[in-house]
Amino acid sequence: MSDVWNRLNALDESAFTKLFGALYEHSPWIAQKAWEQHPFRDEAELLTAFQSVVRDAPLDRQMSLIRAHPELARRVGVDASLTEASQQEQASAGLNRLSPAEHARFTVLNDAYGARFSMPFIICVRLSEKDRILAEMERRIRNTPDEERRTALAEIDKIAALRCKDVLKEMEENA
């Protein structure tokens, strides 16, 4: 086991939660609960722990997690609750540089999606670009609420996995 994994597994619950608490938007409870599954042998096992906490959470907790995410392309530079990670991720997909027409299209789709599902549209923007995001918004609005909840949670897991990779890389670099 590498030094990173030894250090990670030696963390107490508070330190682990501080390190990984931001993987899931405004939801450190996921890291706190995942810590109970340590020690972890590798990244896959760590991610499985996080994902199982989300999967096993009651429906109301899952919906709270989903609703903790920002609307895409609407709040960058406006909403003080938008995390630094979300700002960077949205910028990586060009959502902070929309034309007025693109912004209007996002607004219409965000409003329609929110009215249909009572939650923000979620996609892993680090793995997308704005045209794909718009196409997915148009396609996914036809999903059932249950399909869309499951899809949103799968996208949240992708976001968390990329954020986790960033944390682990930083731990290695600071070893």
Side-chain angles (χ1 to χ4, degrees):
M1 189 172 292
S2 77
D3 182 53
V4 167
W5 292 100
N6 288 332
R7 286 187 297 132
L8 186 146
N9 286 317
L11 296 174
D12 65 16
E13 179 183 354
S14 177
F16 183 89
T17 301
K18 184 176 180 182
L19 185 63
F20 292 104
L23 298 187
Y24 289 85
E25 201 83 5
H26 301 291
S27 301
W29 61 270
I30 297 168
Q32 186 176 26
K33 189 83 174 144
W35 176 84
E36 296 172 5
Q37 299 179 46
H38 84 291
F40 305 103
R41 288 183 301 228
D42 55 28
E43 185 177 344
E45 197 170 275
L46 178 63
L47 290 174
T48 297
F50 292 129
Q51 293 164 359
S52 70
V53 170
V54 173
R55 184 186 61 246
D56 296 342
L59 180 60
D60 65 325
R61 202 94 195 249
Q62 290 179 348
M63 292 306 298
S64 292
L65 169 63
I66 291 168
R67 290 181 181 127
H69 284 73
E71 255 185 10
L72 296 179
R74 185 173 284 173
R75 298 184 183 178
V76 173
V78 175
D79 185 353
S81 70
L82 191 65
T83 65
E84 185 177 326
S86 284
Q87 288 179 38
Q88 291 172 353
E89 289 160 355
Q90 288 198 33
S92 76
L95 300 185
N96 63 337
R97 299 178 306 279
L98 298 175
S99 70
E102 290 168 330
H103 188 269
R105 189 167 171 213
F106 267 102
T107 298
V108 167
L109 288 169
N110 274 326
D111 290 348
Y113 185 92
R116 173 150 167 74
F117 298 112
S118 298
M119 63 187 202
F121 175 81
I122 299 172
I123 192 167
C124 182
V125 296
R126 281 172 66 180
L127 300 177
S128 304
E129 84 292 325
K130 64 185 169 188
D131 291 337
R132 178 175 178 270
I133 294 166
L134 287 166
E136 280 296 290
M137 290 176 90
E138 291 172 345
R139 182 187 69 76
R140 286 173 42 190
I141 203 161
R142 295 186 296 269
N143 283 348
T144 67
D146 191 53
E147 287 171 328
E148 197 51 26
R149 178 186 56 80
R150 287 192 314 269
T151 301
L153 291 172
E155 291 295 318
I156 288 169
D157 281 338
K158 291 177 190 176
I159 295 164
L162 291 172
R163 290 177 179 181
C164 184
K165 194 172 285 303
D166 294 342
V167 170
L168 294 173
K169 182 180 177 187
E170 189 174 322
M171 283 183 74
E172 274 186 26
E173 291 170 355
N174 294 329

